[in-house]
Amino acid sequence: MIIDIKTLRQGVSHYQINETAEKLGIDIEDVKFTAPVLSTVAINNVPGQLTVSGRIKSGFETNCARCGCISKGNIDSTFEHKYVNGEAFPGGELNKDALDEEILSRDTLDFFDEIRQAVLLAVPEKVVCRENCKGICPGCNKNLNKDKCSCKPGVIKPFAELKNLLKDTKAKKGKM
Ligand SMILES: [Zn+2]
Ligand SMILES: [Zn+2]
């Protein structure tokens, strides 16, 4: 969705956008969106400066970082993006006090870009199915939320197996 800044009225304009993640060009590995991305966006257009602020909501599914089960997550976050008109500052120098501002050098603003960036920031890198998810036992590969494992606490299984293997080999050698 492209906004033509030249014809944008002064002051605040409100928009509501309801698009699927696919349409917005959002593709995050192992994340499946279960709802469209609902965005409410306001543009404040004052001479020389444009402020885009909004709120995004959606839902997604991904794998729990500990046990791998399908876990649901929600997105509900806000964003704000400031643009200054490049012509407002001679020579195109950006005001050093305003590092969060970007120079707006185009006549158009792509809303989908704004929303896409906000969604990418809002999706957490790691999701756990529950706070006390016990994860997968590295020894027996059992899901410890569902099954009890018989691994002895404090014993690192792969190492123990290696010891047994060495014993076996020695025993076999002894017989020879
Ligand atoms: Zn889990
Ligand atoms: Zn185990």
Side-chain angles (χ1 to χ4, degrees):
M1 187 179 168
I2 309 285
I3 300 291
D4 187 346
I5 294 156
K6 281 177 296 181
T7 58
L8 189 68
R9 69 181 178 91
Q10 295 288 310
V12 184
S13 306
H14 293 277
Y15 303 85
Q16 210 175 73
I17 299 150
N18 198 3
E19 287 288 359
T20 61
E22 195 185 4
K23 197 109 186 265
L24 291 163
I26 298 162
D27 187 14
I28 307 170
E29 210 185 333
D30 296 331
V31 171
K32 188 179 140 219
F33 285 86
T34 52
V37 179
L38 179 65
S39 329
T40 47
V41 184
I43 293 191
N44 190 9
N45 184 22
V46 295
Q49 189 181 304
L50 208 66
T51 306
V52 183
S53 53
R55 183 172 187 184
I56 47 161
K57 285 185 185 181
S58 192
F60 65 91
E61 278 180 0
T62 188
N63 294 319
C64 168
R66 286 186 208 150
C67 74
C69 76
I70 301 283
S71 315
K72 287 186 198 308
N74 284 313
I75 294 172
D76 185 356
S77 65
T78 57
F79 65 94
E80 192 180 84
H81 222 150
K82 275 183 191 162
Y83 295 94
V84 288
N85 194 328
E87 286 158 10
F89 298 96
E93 282 270 315
L94 200 58
N95 185 346
K96 290 279 180 276
D97 296 334
L99 287 172
D100 60 331
E101 291 178 350
E102 277 178 38
I103 288 198
L104 189 66
S105 51
R106 293 156 288 138
D107 291 334
T108 55
L109 192 74
D110 188 351
F111 262 14
F112 281 12
D113 252 2
E114 304 281 325
I115 295 166
R116 187 165 46 238
Q117 280 178 37
V119 171
L120 291 176
L121 285 173
V123 174
E125 237 173 83
K126 274 186 183 174
V127 173
V128 286
C129 60
R130 66 194 97 168
E131 208 156 302
N132 60 351
C133 170
K134 296 188 189 95
I136 304 282
C137 171
C140 62
N141 282 328
K142 275 183 181 161
N143 183 335
L144 300 177
N145 298 314
K146 291 176 191 160
D147 297 314
K148 268 190 181 172
C149 89
S150 50
C151 299
K152 281 171 195 160
V155 176
I156 304 165
K157 193 87 185 287
F159 203 69
E161 273 175 351
L162 191 70
K163 266 186 187 168
N164 287 333
L165 205 71
L166 287 172
K167 260 187 224 161
D168 280 358
T169 319
K170 272 179 194 163
K172 271 176 197 161
K173 270 185 186 164
K175 275 177 194 167
M176 277 171 80

